[in-house]
Amino acid sequence: MNERAALPLLLVALGGNALLRAGEEGTLAQQFANLAAPVRQLARMARDYRLLITHGNGPQVGNLLLQQESCGEVPRLPLEILVAQTQGQIGYMIESSLDAAFMAEGIADPPPLVSLLSYVVVDAADPAFAHPSKPIGPFYPERPAANFPLIETPRGWRRVVASPEPRTIVEKREIRLLTAQGFIVICCGGGGIPVVREARGFQGIDAVIDKDLASARLAEEVGVELFLIATDVPGAALDFAGPRQRFLRKISAAEARSHLRAGQFAPGSMAPKVEACLRFLAGGGRRALICAVADLEAAVAGDAGTEIVRDES
Ligand code: ADP
Ligand code: MG
């Protein structure tokens, strides 16, 4: 066992916006530039923590889907393959950025680093399959003739896919072994490649799992001490985007649950983050934080973000 094994395990879930911000063209150079701030902090934090890094893939998987649909010369690939592709692409970007950050920070002997393709098991009978709700990919000005479900949004028609509950992370054993050895592990990208159990193994399925809920499941299955969700706002707010908006600093799980029930956090964006924090705490976790990608270190120090703590029992 090396000396890193004794360090507490920190999970950081990086929002899709850590790479590709709303309104940007989304070139590779922009994506690398956006990663610099959070990754520089992660490199420094790796001195005090073992790190588990998960990430979103919304914009990237949407772009890949668009590329699939714009080329008729080669067979189209299903969504689970595109999720796998984004795990490779974003894993590579985070790895190479971290390597550069270790050098920039003068960290001569950085921890070993690996990004891992991850499947996440979902239940084929999950009610989410009957009610696809997660919009992905391009906006269509007219309703396209398509063999997939669509919803009409203010900006046009959009494909929707099911977003089932993550049941278990298939690679949890590998992730436990690697983190115990002190590896920094990048995994569960885009919520994981969705699969269902079949007699002889796993079968991929057309769905997109929420990356915050998948991260909470991972945290519970691997045994994480500190759970951090990094996004494009300073934390969870009450009366968000209204004149009385105020960001929450430190709240109990009971308070978070009551704000969640009162509809303070939008479904599909802030609600799953708060839900993920609550699940992490219910599963025995101690501290859960939601913060801006630029504030990782400040949030862990207690100086930024929204912290949700376990209820006194
Ligand atoms: P990510 O890619 O990090 O998962 P999301 O867009 O899914 O980002 O979630 C972050 C967004 O949640 C913010 O940009 C904000 O617009 C939205 N949001 C909805 N409700 C709230 C709230 N109550 N407090 C803060 N942000 C909120
Ligand atoms: Mg999100």
Side-chain angles (χ1 to χ4, degrees):
M1 271 298 149
N2 65 42
E3 76 260 17
R4 294 192 55 79
L7 297 176
L9 184 58
L10 165 64
L11 185 153
V12 180
L14 289 175
N17 55 76
L19 289 102
L20 226 163
R21 302 208 174 120
E24 278 182 357
E25 194 190 349
T27 62
L28 190 65
Q30 279 170 338
Q31 296 188 51
F32 270 112
N34 292 341
L35 260 181
V39 162
R40 194 81 183 239
Q41 297 180 70
L42 288 170
R44 291 192 291 260
M45 290 160 82
R47 294 187 178 119
D48 302 320
Y49 294 93
R50 288 176 295 136
L51 297 178
L52 200 49
I53 302 171
T54 66
H55 59 83
N57 74 346
Q60 292 81 7
V61 83
N63 286 356
L64 278 178
L65 192 69
L66 185 56
Q67 286 172 346
Q68 295 284 315
E69 287 169 353
S70 60
C71 172
E73 286 164 46
V74 289
R76 281 189 198 176
L77 296 168
L79 197 53
E80 93 254 15
I81 298 292
L82 304 185
V83 174
Q85 291 186 2
T86 62
Q87 289 188 351
Q89 152 186 355
I90 300 171
Y92 154 65
M93 293 178 70
I94 296 175
E95 270 194 50
S96 57
S97 300
L98 258 173
D99 277 332
F102 283 129
M103 270 189 253
E105 290 291 327
I107 300 171
D109 185 22
L113 180 57
V114 67
S115 58
L116 204 74
L117 285 175
S118 326
Y119 314 155
V120 174
V121 177
V122 302
D123 184 350
D126 193 306
F129 285 107
H131 307 281
S133 62
K134 168 112 185 143
I136 56 159
F139 292 87
Y140 304 96
E142 307 278 322
R143 187 183 179 116
N147 59 355
F148 45 74
L150 293 143
I151 53 163
E152 195 175 8
T153 74
R155 292 173 58 199
W157 290 86
R158 214 164 168 211
R159 177 177 184 164
V160 281
V161 295
S163 193
E165 277 290 323
R167 297 283 173 206
T168 188
I169 316 302
V170 175
E171 295 80 2
K172 54 186 170 293
R173 227 162 39 96
E174 289 81 352
I175 297 168
R176 276 189 212 122
L177 288 167
L178 289 164
T179 51
Q181 293 287 320
F183 276 78
I184 297 177
V185 182
I186 302 162
C187 60
C188 290
I193 303 166
V195 297
V196 293
R197 282 191 203 285
E198 290 215 328
R200 274 168 296 152
F202 300 108
Q203 173 67 50
I205 191 163
D206 241 26
V208 171
I209 301 168
D210 184 90
K211 72 110 174 44
D212 297 311
L213 298 182
S215 299
R217 197 77 200 97
L218 172 70
E220 213 180 305
E221 293 191 318
V222 173
V224 160
E225 270 93 358
L226 182 53
F227 186 67
L228 192 50
I229 298 179
T231 185
D232 63 350
V233 284
L238 297 183
D239 299 318
F240 180 69
R244 295 187 56 242
Q245 164 181 301
R246 57 222 182 268
F247 283 94
L248 295 160
R249 287 302 321 276
K250 190 167 180 176
I251 55 172
S252 68
E255 288 170 277
R257 204 171 302 111
S258 95
H259 294 316
L260 184 63
R261 290 213 187 103
Q264 285 285 347
F265 312 123
S269 58
M270 191 48 69
K273 298 187 197 306
V274 173
E275 177 66 33
C277 291
L278 288 171
R279 289 184 189 183
F280 171 69
L281 297 173
R286 301 204 146 270
R287 288 177 79 197
L289 294 151
I290 301 168
C291 69
V293 281
D295 293 338
L296 297 177
E297 290 170 302
V300 170
D303 298 329
T306 301
E307 174 163 357
I308 307 178
V309 292
R310 236 189 315 182
D311 295 321
E312 308 284 326
S313 52

